[in-house]
Amino acid sequence: MSEIAACTLIQEEPDRKTERYMMMFKDYPDVVSVDILQEMLGICRKNAYLLVKQNKIHSARVGRSYKIPKLCVVEYLIDQNRQLGGMRLSNSLAPSLQNTPESSKLMMPK
């Protein structure tokens, strides 16, 4: 199974998966680059590459760049949400969390 297919949201009920997918990052393309990942999460380039290289966010390497399904970014955030004890994720996630204490926990890879 490829890393992209390993996203657990793909294995959920179609209605629930579709609901989560449609709510978060609706203005972004279905497959993003590391530069767009930075913007989505409000993190620096180094941290974006760390998340991808440590396989915390599933991706596919195409040539010299990474292609990251938006679905896997959503999955990462939902997993981080569970680890933080259920902090509510909003539709405009990145701007609303940039200046909160939770943002450092949410955005930093372990």
Side-chain angles (χ1 to χ4, degrees):
M1 180 184 328
S2 73
E3 291 176 356
I4 294 172
C7 291
T8 57
L9 285 178
I10 294 171
Q11 300 165 4
E12 286 184 14
E13 293 179 19
D15 294 335
R16 186 171 181 167
K17 176 190 76 167
T18 304
E19 176 186 327
R20 287 182 176 175
Y21 184 75
M22 296 302 285
M23 286 176 38
M24 297 178 78
F25 305 118
K26 62 183 175 182
D27 296 331
Y28 289 94
D30 292 335
V31 178
V32 299
S33 64
V34 174
D35 291 335
I36 296 174
L37 176 66
Q38 284 180 246
E39 181 183 319
M40 291 169 81
L41 299 180
I43 59 176
C44 69
R45 178 182 218 96
K46 178 183 173 185
N47 286 341
Y49 274 105
L50 280 174
L51 289 172
V52 170
K53 288 180 180 180
Q54 293 176 352
N55 211 23
K56 299 214 181 219
I57 296 179
H58 297 287
S59 64
R61 184 133 187 191
V62 179
R64 296 177 64 185
S65 63
Y66 290 96
K67 301 299 178 189
I68 306 150
K70 180 169 62 173
L71 188 62
C72 293
V73 177
V74 172
E75 177 192 50
Y76 168 76
L77 291 172
I78 290 169
D79 287 344
Q80 292 299 307
N81 180 44
R82 288 182 190 134
Q83 291 176 9
L84 289 173
M87 182 180 69
R88 186 178 171 124
L89 296 175
S90 69
N91 193 16
S92 57
L93 181 69
S96 65
L97 289 179
Q98 282 180 339
N99 297 321
T100 64
E102 291 86 3
S103 66
S104 61
K105 294 178 190 173
L106 180 66
M107 304 305 171
M108 294 296 296
K110 292 181 181 176

